[in-house]
Amino acid sequence: MSGGIPSDDNPRGLYFLADLVNTVVEGAPADAAALRGVLERHGGPPLALTEDTARELCDATAPLIRILDLDDVDEAAEAINSLLDRHPARPRLVRLPGRPWSLHARAPHDAAPAHWLLSTTALALALWLGERGYCAWGRCAAPGCRRYFIDTGRRSPQRYCSSRCGTRVRVAAHRDRRER
């Protein structure tokens, strides 16, 4: 599940996207230090983030959140293509320490961090949608949880951001049935 960074496979860097979006939507506004922490946890580039560029990155998550809220594959493809049109990805094979080669987007040297974010995540979402054939992401279905996740399962679609949320919902349903 996408609650943490798995040691095995990383679906095209989308755990980074889920972590970033969750950092932005959970509680207090995400500042430069919080966003640098997300980048460091996922091997992102060492961006020189100021509070202004951090706000720009937070604002740039809006179209990404809209995509993560979609479950219609055609709408998702259109939204991702629109992002790729506005923020073209310059794909490049990159090997991060301790990981296999993977495809990353490389923004021009003078590009703003928000451009890098949108081109990188649009490419990652496009690859994941193409590989899976459906919107393999979503928002946690647990009441009160607003976290997003990347669905890496192969069987039934994932509904919860973590096993903790899934268990909480199942226990509440069990208690509710017992009380009737």
Side-chain angles (χ1 to χ4, degrees), residues 17-169:
L17 172 60
D19 192 8
L20 175 71
V21 167
N22 289 332
T23 299
V24 171
V25 299
E26 290 179 336
D31 60 9
L35 297 180
R36 271 193 299 273
V38 172
L39 287 165
E40 288 169 10
R41 281 193 300 277
H42 295 276
L47 300 176
L49 294 179
T50 64
E51 291 308 320
D52 287 339
T53 55
R55 252 187 314 283
E56 290 171 13
L57 279 180
C58 290
D59 292 345
T61 63
L64 302 172
I65 289 169
R66 281 192 290 280
I67 292 169
L68 292 177
D69 281 333
L70 292 172
D71 58 4
D72 179 276
V73 69
D74 294 329
E75 287 180 42
E78 285 181 37
I80 292 167
N81 282 336
S82 177
L83 268 183
L84 286 169
D85 286 343
R86 288 191 316 271
H87 304 279
R90 294 175 47 201
R92 182 169 192 81
L93 286 169
V94 174
R95 179 180 251 163
L96 298 174
R99 294 189 181 171
W101 286 98
S102 60
L103 196 59
H104 288 242
R106 185 169 141 193
H109 293 291
D110 60 346
H115 175 84
W116 168 82
L117 171 69
L118 291 168
S119 65
T120 297
T121 54
L123 177 62
L125 286 163
L127 290 167
W128 195 238
L129 180 64
E131 182 176 309
R132 299 306 288 262
Y134 64 94
C135 298
W137 54 70
R139 187 182 285 219
C140 186
C145 185
R146 299 174 50 202
R147 295 182 60 81
Y148 288 89
F149 60 84
I150 302 304
D151 184 353
T152 59
R154 293 287 177 193
R155 290 185 219 132
S156 60
Q158 184 174 329
R159 297 185 55 224
Y160 305 105
C161 68
S162 65
S163 57
R164 183 175 152 199
C165 274
T167 300
R168 185 169 48 88
V169 169

